[in-house]
Amino acid sequence: MFPHHREREQPIFSARAHVFQIDPATKRNWIPASKHAVTVSFFYDANRNVYRIISVGGTKAIINCSITPSMTFTKTSQKFGQWADSRANTVYGLGFATEQQLHQFSDKFKEVKDAARLAREKSQDKELANTALNIAAPQYSQSPPVMCVNGPEDKLFRSQSADITLSSEKERIKKMLSEGSICEMNLEAELFTLQDSNTKLVAALHEANANVEQWKKQLAAYQEETDRLREQVSQVAELEAHGGQGPSDLLKDELTQSLEELEALLKAKDEEIHILQNKKVEYHEMEHDRDEAIHRLRETEMRNAEMERRIQNTEQTLSNSLEDRDRMDSEIQRAIEILDIKIFDLNDLRQSLVKLIDK
């Protein structure tokens, strides 16, 4: 829908920035609306006298915000700023590459907001002037006729009725298109978040599995070393029991100390393996949450497809209404032409009768 609007809109200022939207659930966290920096532009609609901020990523609208005098752009850091859009019930955030770009966008936002305020004041003054003229206009004791000989009032009445119906139909379509754009933006943001979470989860699972395998090998080596030392201690004890000549007390103490150290290390590794097993359970829970999120994403895609189908049907209905209106205008024009010819013939007949009477 945006190329159609841009035919009557003129760009005022453009900048490159990363676009974010506030999380509707927490109202604290930012959700990235674009994977990369995109163009954010100010547009002016001369026909409607409206200023807007528009940003398009590919074929989808990321930002479509009409600027009102009550809006305020707040710089929250050296390269980040935000403003609230009450109509869309969201907060937009922009991350710039440099502090200078942020200042330029902030100054332009203030300038456009002031222009929007002046445009609203002029529009209100014009409405007051029209109201005053309507009040001062003379009131007829009888209602003015809606038809004359040539029928322009009837044509005007029909055209105004068709324009009112067409305008209401266009507003309804704009609302549906806006809802579809918001749904697409939320869908893209949720998909980006799920992809990022999925990548982190897969990396964490690979790392955990690699660590478990490595620790299993170390545990097997420590167990073999512990069995060997225990066997040596058993041999020393057996030799001492038989009165044979065994290793010195120093060697015995060293073996006993090494055995204790290995048993302590083995115990610590067992605890680490237990912790990793618990983390693995948590990873399975995260996978379950991811599957549920993917299911919700698919449901959202189905709803979006249904909305697109409804929009296409409505656009077709609007096109049919326009064709009917054009056909009605053509028929009225033909009737007017025929009536004009009849009036001309009657006028000729009247003049002929007058001449006959004069003779």
Side-chain angles (χ1 to χ4, degrees):
M1 65 177 179
F2 295 97
H4 173 71
H5 285 290
R6 287 181 181 176
E7 292 178 358
R8 64 182 184 185
E9 290 181 329
Q10 297 297 327
I12 301 174
F13 176 80
S14 297
R16 300 279 297 180
H18 290 270
V19 180
F20 299 86
Q21 280 186 295
I22 200 70
D23 189 353
T26 61
K27 298 295 183 181
R28 294 181 179 179
N29 301 326
W30 288 105
I31 298 176
S34 61
K35 298 180 181 179
H36 309 286
V38 295
T39 302
V40 182
S41 303
F42 290 91
F43 280 86
Y44 174 63
D45 188 346
N47 293 336
R48 299 169 55 195
N49 200 14
V50 173
Y51 294 88
R52 294 198 300 165
I53 299 178
I54 297 176
S55 179
V56 179
T59 59
K60 298 180 180 180
I62 300 175
I63 301 176
N64 183 11
C65 172
S66 296
I67 300 176
T68 61
S70 60
M71 288 183 178
T72 302
F73 185 80
T74 305
K75 293 182 285 188
T76 57
S77 67
Q78 293 182 352
K79 299 180 182 179
F80 193 87
Q82 65 184 48
W83 80 95
D85 185 0
S86 58
R87 294 182 180 179
N89 193 22
T90 188
V91 179
Y92 293 105
L94 298 180
F96 296 91
T98 62
E99 185 176 356
Q100 182 181 3
Q101 293 178 357
L102 174 61
H103 289 317
Q104 290 177 352
F105 189 89
S106 177
D107 294 340
K108 181 57 66 174
F109 192 99
K110 184 176 182 300
E111 178 182 341
V112 171
K113 184 181 73 170
D114 294 338
R117 178 178 55 80
L118 293 175
R120 174 173 291 186
E121 291 176 355
K122 290 181 180 179
S123 177
Q124 291 176 352
D125 292 341
K126 185 176 180 181
E127 290 177 359
L128 290 174
N130 292 335
T131 303
L133 289 175
N134 292 332
I135 294 174
Q139 302 295 327
Y140 295 96
S141 59
Q142 297 180 354
S143 60
V146 297
M147 294 184 63
C148 68
V149 176
N150 294 329
E153 283 80 1
D154 179 65
K155 180 180 178 181
L156 178 61
F157 176 76
R158 292 176 179 269
S159 299
Q160 288 178 348
S161 300
D163 288 340
I164 293 173
T165 304
L166 187 61
S167 298
S168 61
E169 190 71 18
K170 285 183 177 179
E171 291 298 329
R172 188 167 68 86
I173 290 177
K174 287 179 182 178
K175 182 178 180 182
M176 292 181 65
L177 291 174
S178 177
E179 291 176 355
S181 299
I182 293 173
C183 181
E184 290 179 354
M185 287 188 289
N186 293 335
L187 182 65
E188 185 178 0
E190 186 173 357
L191 178 61
F192 178 75
T193 304
L194 286 174
Q195 289 176 347
D196 186 53
S197 301
N198 186 31
T199 303
K200 293 180 180 178
L201 179 61
V202 171
L205 286 174
H206 285 314
E207 183 180 358
N209 291 331
N211 291 334
V212 169
E213 294 297 329
Q214 183 179 359
W215 286 333
K216 282 182 179 179
K217 293 179 181 180
Q218 292 181 358
L219 179 60
Y222 292 149
Q223 287 177 346
E224 292 178 0
E225 184 69 17
T226 302
D227 293 338
R228 186 178 62 81
L229 291 175
R230 284 177 178 173
E231 184 179 356
Q232 290 181 0
V233 172
S234 177
Q235 291 176 358
V236 170
E238 185 178 354
L239 289 173
E240 289 181 349
H242 289 81
Q245 185 177 1
S248 63
D249 294 338
L250 180 60
L251 179 60
K252 182 179 178 180
D253 293 338
E254 290 179 355
L255 291 174
T256 303
Q257 184 178 359
S258 299
L259 180 61
E260 291 176 353
E261 291 177 355
L262 286 174
E263 288 179 348
L265 184 59
L266 182 62
K267 184 178 179 181
K269 292 300 179 181
D270 288 337
E271 292 178 354
E272 291 180 0
I273 291 174
H274 181 69
I275 293 172
L276 283 176
Q277 289 175 349
N278 293 334
K279 287 185 177 180
K280 195 170 185 180
V281 173
E282 294 178 358
Y283 290 145
H284 287 307
E285 293 178 353
M286 292 174 64
E287 287 182 343
H288 178 68
D289 294 338
R290 183 192 64 177
D291 294 337
E292 290 183 351
I294 292 174
H295 179 68
R296 291 197 304 271
L297 179 62
R298 289 175 180 173
E299 291 180 350
T300 306
E301 290 177 347
M302 294 176 62
R303 290 196 301 269
N304 188 34
E306 176 65 20
M307 183 171 291
E308 289 180 352
R309 185 185 64 79
R310 290 173 57 192
I311 291 173
Q312 290 176 356
N313 293 336
T314 306
E315 288 178 347
Q316 183 64 34
T317 303
L318 177 60
S319 178
N320 295 335
S321 299
L322 291 173
E323 292 178 358
D324 293 339
R325 177 190 173 187
D326 293 338
R327 187 168 55 254
M328 185 181 297
D329 289 342
S330 300
E331 293 176 356
I332 292 173
Q333 187 65 32
R334 283 199 304 271
I336 291 172
E337 292 175 355
I338 294 172
L339 186 59
D340 289 339
I341 294 172
K342 296 294 183 182
I343 291 172
F344 181 77
D345 293 339
L346 288 174
N347 191 21
D348 289 342
L349 179 60
R350 177 179 174 277
Q351 291 178 359
S352 299
L353 291 175
V354 171
K355 290 179 181 179
L356 289 174
I357 293 172
D358 292 339
K359 289 180 180 180

